[in-house]
Amino acid sequence: MGLIKKLIVGFFLLLFIGVAGIFGMQYYYLHAYSRVPIEVKTETVSGNVFYLSHVLEPGKYYIKASSEGTVEKITILDENGNVLTESKMDSMIYGSSRPFQVRIDYKAPLNVDSYNVSVGIYRLEKK
């Protein structure tokens, strides 16, 4: 039983260190880098919609989406439209050495004709 306890404690310790590392990296990028706006838009729309950015140059970017409805997901696509990664959150930091596009899917709130959606794509540059 001693070995099983050590394995379980070790697993949770590694899980905790991983989560702390992710939040630490996010804190570092948001505070040690300047955010240069690339695209910042707010629009009034109706129904389920998506936003597709132009092709972005290689680099590190902070992507923030908000909506009166729901931000379904943020998807990063390569130049050919293939999915590179997805996030179910409303913001993410993404870096690439190749050009890419950002797609954000929005879901409309119930019983509303129109609602506001916004997107902000910022290039992260060292301060």
Side-chain angles (χ1 to χ4, degrees):
M1 283 301 200
L3 180 62
I4 293 175
K5 272 187 183 178
K6 288 180 184 178
L7 287 174
I8 291 172
V9 168
F11 171 76
F12 284 112
L13 182 62
L14 286 175
L15 186 65
F16 175 75
I17 290 171
V19 169
I22 290 170
F23 284 109
M25 285 177 51
Q26 185 174 8
Y27 178 83
Y28 170 75
Y29 280 119
L30 293 179
H31 290 86
Y33 285 74
S34 298
R35 288 184 231 163
V36 178
I38 301 298
E39 275 188 59
V40 180
K41 294 182 178 182
T42 301
E43 292 185 23
T44 301
V45 297
S46 60
N48 296 339
V49 295
F50 71 91
Y51 164 81
L52 184 64
S53 74
H54 63 282
V55 176
L56 300 171
E57 295 299 318
K60 292 182 181 121
Y61 290 86
Y62 175 65
I63 302 153
K64 173 84 174 135
S66 63
S67 171
E68 292 174 352
T70 305
V71 176
E72 287 284 303
K73 64 183 173 180
I74 299 174
T75 307
I76 305 297
L77 308 168
D78 67 6
E79 293 175 293
N80 301 322
N82 300 318
V83 175
L84 298 175
T85 188
E86 289 183 344
S87 173
K88 299 285 184 178
M89 307 291 286
D90 62 353
S91 66
M92 71 182 296
I93 295 173
Y94 184 75
S96 177
S97 59
R98 298 186 324 196
F100 63 95
Q101 284 184 296
V102 177
R103 177 186 165 123
I104 303 171
D105 293 303
Y106 299 97
K107 185 175 181 183
L110 297 174
N111 302 324
V112 175
D113 291 334
S114 63
Y115 62 102
N116 290 327
V117 296
S118 65
V119 61
I121 300 176
Y122 305 92
R123 184 177 182 92
L124 297 175
E125 295 184 356
K126 192 78 168 167
K127 287 184 181 179

